[in-house]
């Protein structure tokens, strides 16, 4: 739509280009971060086209202006674009983010793609050695991390867990939509001592993006604050790290000796989360890694061989 003149003026009203420009202006005035992109994406959604095909759409179909105005208004009110579209992209998968009852799960973020990369690389390395890696995604939300491993590393077994009924339903649905293999999905507390107890000591990779925001750090963006579920945001305890602590405990139980643990956290939590993992005595090679913007984003560690822990005791 930025290609001036490539969309012809309709005879019965404003051109598509003019409508999209108007939509972008409304969004810009409301402080929406990417007004042009979002206005185009919403127009493409109404037309049932990829955004790149908008420039080839000469006409404004009947009813477009009204439907488009409704979606622009929702975005102006800072409803997330993905919630309005109903889906989000993450690495190589497209996932639904709203369930059949209109409830939403956490909208996946680009920074988590780097967390998923660590799990993908580890699983791919094991497959290259002729093994069938077992990967567990704790706090799976829409399932994006586990699904990425499942889709990108054929030959992997993936298990996903979330406490939220909505998240579990969406992970099952998303897996059904892109599923390359069978993925086990369970509704459970990631920190409960009996969660996935049948896999104790057998798992090659535990990956997690748990809730980790402290109670006094309300997100500034209305898209996050007002539309992501609180269960997905706030990690509990004064530092927001109660759920992450319980995930570390579960990872230590599930992982085989030498298995890999990777868990996302906020950029200010690197030292605190490293301390949680190191203080258990169950992990070696505990490191903080950054995301693509250079911010501390995840802890990575190897499960220490169990006989070492026994020998020290
Ligand atoms: C930040 S979201 C991450 C979702 C997904 N992994 C992603 O990266 O998009 C955190 C998820 O943890 C889930 N959750 C919160 N507490 C949990 C718990 N105790 N056990 C399992 N899942 C939990 C929430 O329902 C939410 O789906």
């Amino acid at each position: 739509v930025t290609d001036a003149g490539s969309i012809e003026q309709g005879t019965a009203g404003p051109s598509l280009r003019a409508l999209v420009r108007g939509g972008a202006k409304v969004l810009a005035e409301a402080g929406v971060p990417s007004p042009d992109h979002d206005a185009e994406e919403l127009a493409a959604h109404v037309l049932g086209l990829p955004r790149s095909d908008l420039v080839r759409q000469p006409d404004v179909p009947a009813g477009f202006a009204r439907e488009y105005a409704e979606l622009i208004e929702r975005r102006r009110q800072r409803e997330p674009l993905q919630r309005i579209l109903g889906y989000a992209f993450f690495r190589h998968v497209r996932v639904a983010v709203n369930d059949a009852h209109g409830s939403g799960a956490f909208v996946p973020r680009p920074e988590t793609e780097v967390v998923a990369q660590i799990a993908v690389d580890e699983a791919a390395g094991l497959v290259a050695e002729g093994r069938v890696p077992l990967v567990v995604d704790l706090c799976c939300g829409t399932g994006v991390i586990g699904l990425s491993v499942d889709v990108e590393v054929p030959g992997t077994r993936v298990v996903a867990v979330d406490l939220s009924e909505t998240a579990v339903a969406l992970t099952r649905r998303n897996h059904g939509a892109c599923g390359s293999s069978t993925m086990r999905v369970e509704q459970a507390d990631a920190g409960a001592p009996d969660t996935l107890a049948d896999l104790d000591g057998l798992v090659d990779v535990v990956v997690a993006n748990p809730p980790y925001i402290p109670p006094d750090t309300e997100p500034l963006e209305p898209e996050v604050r007002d539309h992501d579920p609180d269960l997905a945001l706030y990690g509990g305890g004064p530092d927001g790290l109660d759920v992450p602590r319980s995930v570390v405990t579960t990872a230590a139980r599930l992982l085989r000796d030498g298995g890999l643990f990777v868990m996302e956290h906020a950029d200010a939590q690197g030292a605190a989360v490293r301390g949680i993992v190191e203080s258990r005595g169950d992990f070696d090679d505990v490191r903080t890694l950054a995301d693509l913007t250079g911010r501390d984003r995840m802890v990575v560690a190897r499960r220490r061989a169990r006989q070492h822990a026994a020998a020290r005791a």
Side-chain angles (χ1 to χ4, degrees):
V1 184
T2 48
D3 179 9
S6 61
I7 291 176
E8 293 165 18
Q9 181 73 38
T11 50
S15 67
L16 182 59
R17 184 161 172 261
L19 287 168
V20 173
R21 267 201 191 147
K25 185 162 178 285
V26 168
L27 298 185
E29 285 168 1
V32 171
S34 312
D36 295 322
H37 168 274
D38 288 12
E40 292 177 11
E41 200 65 71
L42 290 171
H45 181 67
V46 173
L47 293 166
L49 299 171
R51 187 162 63 99
S52 54
D53 284 359
L54 270 187
V55 288
R56 285 192 279 276
Q57 171 73 22
D59 306 317
V60 180
F64 172 87
R66 186 185 38 79
E67 196 179 338
Y68 184 56
E70 283 170 12
L71 298 193
I72 287 289
E73 175 58 16
R74 286 171 65 185
R75 188 70 190 100
R76 189 184 74 80
Q77 301 273 356
R78 303 301 293 270
E79 189 173 340
L81 179 70
Q82 296 90 338
R83 222 24 105 226
I84 300 171
L85 299 176
Y87 57 79
F89 290 99
F90 184 91
R91 294 179 65 94
H92 301 284
V93 296
R94 179 182 129 156
V95 292
V97 298
N98 304 323
D99 73 7
H101 312 289
S103 299
F106 182 82
V107 172
R109 307 289 203 271
E111 55 267 31
T112 306
E113 295 186 341
V114 184
V115 178
Q117 182 73 55
I118 304 290
V120 165
D121 289 348
E122 180 76 1
L126 292 169
V127 167
E129 291 171 12
R131 300 177 40 191
V132 179
L134 176 56
V135 177
V136 171
D137 175 3
L138 295 174
C139 304
C140 63
T142 52
V144 284
I145 301 177
L147 277 170
S148 293
V149 177
D150 190 44
V151 166
E152 295 180 43
V153 193
T156 308
R157 285 185 297 148
V158 179
V159 180
V161 171
D162 202 288
L163 192 54
S164 148
E165 191 180 343
T166 299
V168 166
L170 282 165
T171 296
R172 290 198 174 118
R173 176 172 152 201
N174 289 327
H175 177 252
C178 35
S180 60
S181 62
T182 316
M183 186 162 141
R184 172 174 158 195
V185 186
E186 291 206 4
Q187 184 177 3
D189 180 346
D194 57 348
T195 293
L196 305 182
D198 58 313
L199 303 181
D200 280 0
L202 299 176
V203 177
D204 295 293
V205 183
V206 171
V207 55
N209 176 18
Y212 48 68
I213 299 177
D216 56 354
T217 316
E218 194 177 67
L220 296 176
E221 309 92 330
E223 287 87 347
V224 179
R225 188 185 61 226
D226 302 336
H227 295 278
D228 276 326
D230 282 358
L231 183 67
L233 298 178
Y234 301 102
D239 56 1
L241 291 173
D242 276 3
V243 177
R245 259 184 216 94
S246 74
V247 165
V248 176
T249 302
T250 299
R253 171 169 62 79
L254 293 177
L255 285 167
R256 64 161 168 82
D257 294 356
L260 188 74
F261 176 53
V262 51
M263 181 174 74
E264 180 169 324
H265 55 66
D267 53 358
Q269 292 172 329
V273 173
R274 231 175 22 251
I276 291 168
V277 178
E278 278 169 345
S279 67
R280 290 192 53 87
D282 297 320
F283 292 95
D284 287 319
D285 195 16
V286 183
R287 288 170 296 144
T288 301
L289 299 187
D291 60 23
L292 294 175
T293 68
R295 294 182 175 87
D296 283 355
R297 184 56 59 200
M298 71 197 102
V299 69
V300 180
R302 290 265 167 209
R303 180 64 168 94
R304 182 174 290 174
R306 283 168 172 78
Q307 58 270 31
H308 293 181
R312 274 203 329 279

